[in-house]
Amino acid sequence: MAAGPPRSDGPSAGPVVKSEVDGLIAKAKADPTAVRTLRCRTVAQGRLRQLNYIRNLPPQDVMEVEPEGLSSEAVAPNASEALLAAFGSCLATGIHANALAQGLPIRSLELELEADINTSAVWGAGDLNPKTIGFESIRVLVKLDADTPRKIIEALVRHATLWSPVANTLHNPVHLDVTLA
């Protein structure tokens, strides 16, 4: 964590404070049917590199460098690594926000994510026998330091995983509608 471990013991101690989390909870309770449309514009840059534009944020760089060694310019995560980062970020946010809501101070939170992938058929060459394309499983190790009984921390992690939008997107079938302009 580049900015140091997140803390949840006061309004100025971390990026999110309890009052902000409480506000989000109240808003969700006021309109539980609210749906937001999230958007991303992906623009190919050549050499299998893409820039992803989300809201008014700086572009997010993703470079498809699979199989390894295809490009000597591995300056950005590949799409599968970006998916792991999205899941890790969502889960860490859920754990931290729920800890804040419950008044559980966290000294540090770190997630290690890993998944195995076979990309031999992705390029339409190599082993084209039927197989799983993409991850079959994602392993997550949660390292959480808090003065809270392990049983409560385990429940917190289970709850955050159960209600994680990215975890549910990965776990549940998602309809893809890809059309040509």
Side-chain angles (χ1 to χ4, degrees):
M1 298 182 167
R7 297 199 46 98
S8 60
D9 54 359
S12 63
V16 177
V17 294
K18 186 172 181 353
S19 62
E20 292 172 333
V21 172
D22 291 343
L24 291 173
I25 292 169
K27 187 176 178 181
K29 285 182 178 179
D31 185 4
T33 62
V35 174
R36 291 177 49 205
T37 299
L38 305 180
R39 291 178 173 82
C40 174
R41 183 172 57 94
T42 300
V43 180
Q45 300 296 299
R47 300 192 50 82
L48 304 178
R49 180 177 173 217
Q50 293 71 235
L51 289 179
N52 296 279
Y53 296 87
I54 301 167
R55 297 190 312 269
N56 60 349
L57 300 171
Q60 304 294 307
D61 207 356
V62 174
M63 185 169 198
E64 198 56 52
V65 293
E66 295 172 318
E68 286 185 26
L70 181 64
S71 173
S72 61
E73 299 176 18
V75 296
N78 66 44
S80 298
E81 292 165 330
L83 183 124
L84 287 177
F87 177 40
S89 296
C90 184
L91 188 54
T93 298
I95 292 168
H96 192 208
N98 279 280
L100 278 169
Q102 295 176 35
L104 306 173
I106 294 177
R107 277 190 293 279
S108 66
L109 173 61
E110 180 178 332
L111 280 66
E112 293 181 10
L113 292 89
E114 66 179 20
D116 304 316
I117 189 167
N118 180 329
T119 59
S120 62
V122 170
W123 304 99
D127 182 5
L128 299 178
N129 294 318
K131 68 175 81 181
T132 298
I133 297 174
F135 299 141
E136 289 190 45
S137 68
I138 297 174
R139 298 172 296 280
V140 182
L141 177 63
V142 177
K143 298 178 180 179
L144 193 151
D145 184 19
D147 289 327
T148 304
R150 182 169 179 91
K151 200 171 204 172
I152 292 173
I153 291 174
E154 288 171 349
L156 174 71
V157 171
R158 276 193 312 275
H159 177 83
T161 304
L162 177 67
W163 293 102
S164 161
V166 176
N168 278 280
T169 299
L170 291 169
H171 185 264
N172 299 319
V174 175
H175 174 76
L176 297 176
D177 186 6
V178 180
T179 59
L180 186 61

